[in-house]
Amino acid sequence: MNQTIGFIGLGVMGKSMAKHILKAGYPLNIYTRTKEKAEELLSLGAEWKSTVAELSNESDIIITMIGYPQDVEHVYLDEAGIISSARPGTYVIDMTTSQPSLAKKIYEKAKQKNIYALDAPVSGGDIGAREARLAIMVGGHREAFDHCYPLFEVMGQNIVYQGEAGSGQHTKMCNQIAIASGMIGVCEAVSYAKKSGLDPANVLKSITTGAAGSWSLSNLAPRMLGEDYEPGFFVKHFIKDMGIALDESNEMDLFTPGLKLAHELYEKLAEEGNENKGTQALVKLWDKAEVNN
């Protein structure tokens, strides 16, 4: 418990993750671009750091949960970033969904400074973050994973070491690919239930526990029915993730028609002004088609 944790990024998921760390008794340093997002954590005892460099120099383990690969690259590799500012022996954990190649680059740069880097993206959305039930998929050095495992347990339940640097990010791409096509199926099932005159909420009672069951069907389909499009996971971030998965798939000459279609549909959804909605807002495309027909 005597290790000080630094946490950068207090968005929809990061804030809940940081709160679990604080409540577990770890001293917590925090930094985010918008300080207002930190007020609750500060009131609970977290320490505010005014720069990435300050936080990095005063923390034993640093966690980042930010938006895009370019943000990750800046935070880690800029002149006043984490790698330049952290002390030798520090552990750094990027829990952002990002590029596997960037995870490898950060790992190599960290290694040169005797810093231990892990890529550890998560799945479970806002609910999983809030309830500390995230799935955490980890790449990097095995001993670094073992050292940080107690901290991962504070935030998640399904914690799996996947292999060398970049393996966590590759695993998250598998996760996003599975979700991408699945979300189309959820939207079509909800729309079919409505069109056929059934009570969609009652339909969900039957199909969420059978072979069709999925996290999206159990957690996001009810939000669709309630027209609750607030983000557990932003449309814009899902588009980013699918873009990374498509790039990686193309590099491997992998055929991913479901992923390609989902990416196109979500881009259309974003073009219609829904980039800051939750991924369940995809059903709006079906609702719009119904109105137009």
Side-chain angles (χ1 to χ4, degrees):
M1 289 286 184
N2 59 345
Q3 288 190 304
T4 298
I5 312 301
F7 204 107
I8 299 173
L10 302 175
V12 172
M13 296 175 67
K15 184 177 179 181
S16 293
M17 294 161 69
K19 191 185 295 185
H20 291 309
I21 292 169
L22 192 61
K23 289 185 174 179
Y26 289 94
L28 182 68
N29 295 326
I30 55 176
Y31 170 80
T32 193
R33 286 181 294 189
T34 308
K35 190 176 180 181
E36 288 74 21
K37 291 182 179 179
E39 292 301 333
E40 182 183 0
L41 290 168
L42 294 174
S43 71
L44 293 172
E47 292 286 335
W48 174 257
K49 301 301 172 183
S50 57
T51 65
V52 170
E54 183 185 0
L55 179 142
S56 301
N57 187 251
E58 298 180 20
S59 304
D60 301 304
I61 301 176
I62 302 163
I63 295 173
T64 51
M65 186 67 173
I66 44 187
Y68 295 87
Q70 59 265 33
D71 301 319
V72 173
E73 187 159 15
H74 288 317
V75 165
Y76 276 89
L77 302 179
D78 276 1
E79 189 175 338
I82 292 171
I83 302 303
S84 295
S85 307
R87 303 183 301 261
T90 300
Y91 292 80
V92 299
I93 309 169
D94 183 30
M95 305 188 80
T96 315
T97 299
S98 184
Q99 298 161 323
S101 58
L102 179 56
K104 293 175 184 177
K105 183 177 180 181
I106 290 170
Y107 175 87
E108 292 299 332
K109 294 286 187 183
K111 188 176 180 181
Q112 293 170 15
K113 298 285 297 289
N114 292 317
I115 294 169
Y116 306 99
L118 296 169
D119 51 289
V122 302
S123 182
D126 60 328
I127 296 171
R130 200 163 53 241
E131 298 179 356
R133 292 190 294 103
L134 292 170
I136 305 174
M137 43 213 89
V138 189
H141 199 277
R142 178 72 199 223
E143 289 182 6
F145 168 78
D146 291 340
H147 180 87
C148 295
Y149 190 86
L151 186 58
F152 289 136
E153 284 189 303
V154 171
M155 298 177 282
Q157 292 182 345
N158 180 16
I159 305 152
V160 181
Y161 175 71
Q162 293 292 343
E164 63 184 17
S167 298
Q169 296 296 353
H170 276 306
T171 304
K172 183 60 186 288
M173 291 303 105
C174 296
N175 185 84
Q176 301 306 71
I177 290 168
I179 290 173
S181 296
M183 283 296 291
I184 296 174
V186 171
C187 291
E188 290 183 343
V190 166
S191 298
Y192 185 98
K194 290 178 180 177
K195 188 73 170 178
S196 62
L198 295 168
D199 175 354
N202 211 36
V203 169
L204 290 180
K205 292 178 184 178
S206 291
I207 69 173
T208 53
T209 60
S214 69
W215 191 94
S216 295
L217 193 65
S218 295
N219 293 281
L220 298 183
R223 294 191 191 187
M224 292 176 184
L225 298 182
E227 298 184 359
D228 173 6
Y229 305 124
E230 288 306 301
F233 186 59
F234 286 108
V235 165
K236 61 186 179 184
H237 289 161
F238 195 32
I239 291 171
K240 174 261 294 183
D241 294 354
M242 288 187 285
I244 295 171
L246 282 168
D247 289 343
E248 295 290 336
S249 298
N250 290 336
E251 286 280 325
M252 296 183 284
D253 292 323
L254 181 66
F255 181 53
T256 54
L259 174 62
K260 185 173 183 290
L261 175 58
H263 188 252
E264 291 170 356
L265 290 173
Y266 271 101
E267 284 196 318
K268 182 178 180 182
L269 184 69
E271 287 167 6
E272 295 180 359
N274 296 290
E275 66 274 10
N276 289 313
K277 299 297 185 183
T279 52
Q280 69 274 17
L282 185 65
V283 77
K284 285 187 169 189
L285 297 183
W286 277 261
D287 293 341
K288 182 180 178 181
E290 177 69 20
V291 169
N292 291 339
N293 287 337

